[in-house]
Amino acid sequence: MKLIVKVFPEITIKSRPVRMRFIRQLAKNIRAVLRDLDPAVVVNGVWDNLELETRVSEPKILKEMTERLSCMPGIAHFLQVDEYPLGDFDDILAKCKLHYGDALAGKIFSVRCKRAGKHPFSSMDVERYVGSQLRKQCGAAGISLKDPQIEVRIEIRDQRLFVIHSQHDSIGGYPLGSLEQTLVLMSGGFDSTVAAYQIMRRGLMSHFCFFNLGGRAHELGVMEVAHFIWKKYGSSQRVLFVSVPFEEVLGEILGKVDNSHMGVILKRMMLRAASSIADRLHIDALVTGEAISQVSSQTLPNLSVIDCVTEKLVLRPLIASHKQDIIDTANEIGTADFARHMPEYCGVISVNPKTAAKRGRVEHEEKEFDMAVLERALENARLVPIDRVIDELGQDIQIEEVGEALAGQIIIDIRHPDDAEDDPLSIAGIEVQTMPFYAVNARFKELDPTRQYLLYCDKGVMSRLHAHHLLSEGHANVRVYRPS
């Protein structure tokens, strides 16, 4: 298979050195993302387009390649093509007829030609000749440039001809690794996941920082969604997941701070901690999912008071977004189901929260706060490479595993719905239910407590994690299914 990768249009207006640097980075990223599918994949090109060649022919792998490229920052779209040496007009016609001839009978069509290089003919000359001959020779109903049923698409580059089979859109933006790094404050909900996506889509490499207020269930959920976002949109770069234990900080706020100022002060403590971590990682910008006045701590006066605790640039890509637009984007990028089932955490609930906190009053309230508590939280922060975060969590968890399901037991397939649909689990005489891993914690309590349930996933890591959590919640009827 051969693909022509079209870069994000804004890259093409950069100066020559910047443009070449961006395109080299994109080529490097493509190789990194596809290496496990085809170690011999070839990616060439340094100016406007990249050409990708793979000898892999298995449809499932080719589909996975297409899906990964469709989620890669820096790519506007890519074309699946067949390449031929450029011949005369009759040879171009023959190649187009070979690929499109059988589909044109009785159809209205058009011919689209793009051309680069020096030739004694124009793109329009090619379109006129090939279009008229295809209509005569293939029994087409007619030609329409405005509303064709079929588009015959070709590209001519110097002495090469490309016949285009299909076009796949990607997410645009700049290639990851070509711009600066950021630290995303990640709660796992709709806002922070969409903010992370928007920043990654723009080409900024993003590490994830989570402030744990709700124990293991919340940490597990945020690790899962952060890993999902990285794997889908940013796996060309290795980044960190930082987990900061913030329960003691929250307790200090609850005990020392006036109720109406708790929300603002909690956010200030988070920014202080995130700034300290960013300093350690040599990162100059923080990212949050805040939108103007979505909640009381996100009014303009409160955001100003929150921001003054850090000298870091605080980016808020959703600042003027409506909530429904954020939810719609989360559905498009695949994080909505995670957000809907994210375990609730023990947030600060103010009876009458301030919507226009004064800096002097906030600083007065913070005088009672023991900053040693914040320092302890930072000392106990865990920094884990995102590609190892799930395996890291799964270590040392002792859960009973069974290699064979018995009559009466129910297997719960907790894989992502796409995986469960592509490769459904079926065992003779055994009931199999599907329940995505991001919904297990919330929905397991709805199941019959008198039945035995076996959690199943591909590698056994996610099933052990969720079984461990369910057991710690008092559900004794859980095991892990690991077929031999």
Side-chain angles (χ1 to χ4, degrees), residues 197-474:
Y197 164 76
Q198 297 282 30
I199 287 295
M200 294 168 67
R201 181 190 184 197
R202 192 60 182 170
L204 293 160
M205 199 164 78
S206 300
H207 304 268
F208 304 96
C209 183
F210 166 60
F211 296 98
N212 192 353
L213 300 173
R216 183 175 176 78
H218 192 206
E219 181 181 46
L220 175 59
V222 177
M223 282 184 164
E224 289 170 345
V225 71
H227 186 272
F228 172 86
I229 295 171
W230 168 79
K231 186 68 176 176
K232 188 168 185 178
Y233 301 105
S235 61
S236 64
Q237 306 294 322
R238 295 193 71 193
V239 298
L240 294 172
F241 182 91
V242 184
S243 181
V244 186
F246 238 53
E247 296 96 330
E248 191 180 1
V249 173
L250 177 58
E252 186 75 3
I253 292 174
L254 291 170
K256 302 286 184 65
V257 174
D258 175 72
N259 186 281
S260 63
H261 290 82
M262 288 179 177
V264 169
I265 290 178
L266 177 61
K267 291 290 185 69
R268 282 165 61 95
M269 294 299 171
M270 288 180 173
L271 272 196
R272 285 188 176 103
S275 298
S276 177
I277 291 165
D279 282 338
R280 292 164 59 182
L281 300 176
H282 305 289
I283 292 173
D284 294 324
L286 308 177
V287 178
T288 79
E290 291 157 321
I292 294 174
S293 293
Q294 190 178 114
V295 295
S296 61
S297 66
Q298 296 176 17
T299 62
L300 288 182
N302 285 354
L303 290 176
S304 177
V305 171
I306 290 167
D307 282 0
C308 68
V309 301
T310 180
E311 295 181 355
K312 300 291 183 185
L313 174 63
V314 181
L315 302 176
R316 294 183 170 93
L318 310 183
I319 193 66
S321 299
H322 301 311
K323 187 65 176 185
Q324 189 56 53
D325 294 336
I326 296 170
I327 293 172
D328 291 344
T329 302
N331 278 307
E332 292 171 8
I333 66 176
T335 62
D337 285 330
F338 293 92
R340 290 190 187 99
H341 295 93
M342 190 62 58
E344 294 292 336
Y345 62 87
C346 304
V348 176
I349 301 174
S350 296
V351 178
N352 293 302
K354 289 287 185 181
T355 57
K358 304 299 182 184
R359 179 172 176 176
R361 174 61 189 278
V362 169
E363 291 175 348
H364 173 75
E365 290 292 331
E366 286 183 344
K367 287 180 180 178
E368 298 298 318
F369 186 94
D370 182 2
M371 288 296 177
V373 174
L374 184 63
E375 292 301 320
R376 279 198 296 274
L378 287 167
E379 289 172 2
N380 293 320
R382 296 176 62 250
L383 286 71
V384 183
I386 192 67
D387 56 331
R388 299 212 319 262
V389 71
I390 300 299
D391 294 333
E392 175 91 2
L393 268 179
Q395 291 177 0
D396 302 324
I397 295 179
Q398 301 302 319
I399 301 294
E400 182 179 344
E401 296 185 359
V402 300
E404 182 178 353
L406 303 177
Q409 292 179 329
I410 298 174
I411 294 178
I412 299 180
D413 186 346
I414 69 169
R415 293 177 295 170
H416 190 279
D418 291 345
D419 296 330
E421 183 179 346
D422 291 343
D423 186 19
L425 181 66
S426 178
I427 301 173
I430 300 296
E431 181 181 351
V432 177
Q433 298 181 11
T434 57
M435 185 183 297
F437 57 87
Y438 48 72
V440 170
N441 293 336
R443 290 170 50 188
F444 191 85
K445 59 180 177 291
E446 302 169 4
L447 301 178
D448 184 351
T450 66
R451 303 293 296 274
Q452 281 284 333
Y453 297 96
L454 309 179
L455 304 189
Y456 169 76
C457 68
D458 287 329
K459 297 182 179 179
V461 175
M462 297 301 297
S463 54
R464 290 203 310 275
L465 289 172
H466 284 281
H468 182 273
H469 175 70
L470 292 171
L471 287 168
S472 67
E473 291 288 304

